[in-house]
Amino acid sequence: MGLKEERMYTLKNLRNMMKNHTGMLVLLVISMFVSFGVLFFGVGLYYQYSKNIEDGEIDSYAVGFSINDIITKKNFCEFVKNMPNKLMGDVSYITCFSSTQVSGIDEEIPVAFYLQYSEGKFEYSDKVFQPMIDDLVIKDGSFFTQEQYSNGEKAVVMGSGNVNQPTSAPEYTNSVTAFGQSYDVIGTINPANSSYFFYSIYVPFSSVPDDTIMNDGVYLALNNKITKSEYDDFTAYISEFFKDKITLYEPAFDLASNTSYYITVVLISVIIAILSALNISILYNYIIISRTRQLTIMRICGGLTSNLSISTANEIILIMLPVSIISALCYDKFILTVLSAKFPLMKAAYNPYVYAEIILIYSAISYLLNLFLLHHNLGKKIKEGLK
């Protein structure tokens, strides 16, 4: 059989299959769709897994540093305001500390600020303060409104002393002095609900003078866990801004996070792809059975089993290539969009060359596998037909 005749024979068989074996052809196409879809997914998932192993996740939800030298409130505000939007988008709220002498209290007391920065203003963090507002039960007066806090009003909420402390809290007047200025007392925390500093106070961050010294440490609470490279972006900015005035807290990194999960899913993907390839061979073998008489006659007329096997394997490839291209388009435009919500790094794994490589490699392996199986099965069927 010459090359031209072989092509004509292959095309004739494809037309005959569409006409007489429509159901089998549909199953064949579905098997190919599944094979390529699972392979595309497996490659993307392996990329996500490898990036996870390479990069790791920070094993906490915060980036923090201790303060070694003088950092004023003004320095800190510049640090927050100049933070790149990409980094600020990952920050839920910021915790920082100072201390002050308060009228009526002999010792200097620590003051904590829980901040969120929005549209050029410092507000108190809803995530921190709203539960406090709900649970503390203000004994007298009220807590800040966001407007009072962001506008930096000279208002203070006073601690009322912890019930576990033997010393009772002093009686506060309508105002107290803190941070060298007068604050109006708008509320007092009920001691029965207080688990915070004895004699602690809460004041709006923007009300504190610019030369106030920040101390202890700073914590950037994050919305989600971040990767090591994202953590490095934070630390690069922090180190560049504060130089040697701070010491970064080094978190632990979970370099093998979800390793077993990724490996299991990748292995399942490979198994499904292999089973789909075998299914293609089984389906085609059913079609070959219907051609036993025709193939036997061709063998009697001098056709080689190897040539007949190659011609039949070519039929599978002629179906597989267009199906693979359509599968790649559907996967990239529709399925990948859904998967990216669960596997955010997966999308970076794909480009036209990657899809082409997957299609060519799988098609070549499938071609050789089917060629081997067809050669074996055709030989048996032809021998049976000659008996």
Side-chain angles (χ1 to χ4, degrees), residues 101-245:
Q101 195 79 40
V102 178
S103 56
I105 302 176
D106 294 334
E107 58 187 28
E108 195 170 71
I109 63 168
V111 182
F113 301 96
Y114 303 96
L115 310 168
Q116 55 194 33
Y117 183 70
S118 175
E119 298 180 355
K121 290 186 176 183
F122 287 96
E123 302 175 340
Y124 64 73
S125 170
D126 291 324
K127 288 190 176 180
V128 175
F129 277 110
Q130 196 57 51
M132 288 171 60
I133 295 168
D134 294 339
D135 299 337
L136 287 178
V137 184
I138 300 298
K139 178 183 176 184
D140 300 304
S142 63
F143 201 74
F144 308 103
T145 64
Q146 277 289 17
E147 185 177 7
Q148 285 176 310
Y149 198 92
S150 60
N151 289 338
E153 292 188 15
K154 300 295 191 299
V156 59
V157 174
M158 305 299 300
S160 187
N162 195 303
V163 289
N164 296 321
Q165 295 286 345
T167 308
S168 61
E171 292 294 327
Y172 297 118
T173 59
N174 292 331
S175 65
V176 295
T177 300
F179 295 102
Q181 51 195 0
S182 179
Y183 282 83
D184 293 329
V185 178
I186 63 170
T188 305
I189 294 173
N190 189 331
N193 299 83
S194 177
S195 58
Y196 305 97
F197 295 118
F198 184 52
Y199 298 147
S200 63
I201 66 170
Y202 296 98
V203 298
F205 181 71
S206 297
S207 71
V208 175
D210 285 346
D211 61 355
T212 299
I213 303 299
M214 311 304 294
N215 54 35
D216 196 11
V218 173
Y219 301 87
L220 308 178
L222 307 174
N223 293 311
N224 300 291
K225 285 186 177 183
I226 57 174
T227 63
K228 188 175 185 303
S229 61
E230 290 169 328
Y231 172 81
D232 289 342
D233 291 339
F234 271 106
T235 56
Y237 172 69
I238 294 168
S239 299
E240 182 182 358
F241 192 92
F242 288 119
K243 309 298 182 187
D244 57 354
K245 291 184 176 182

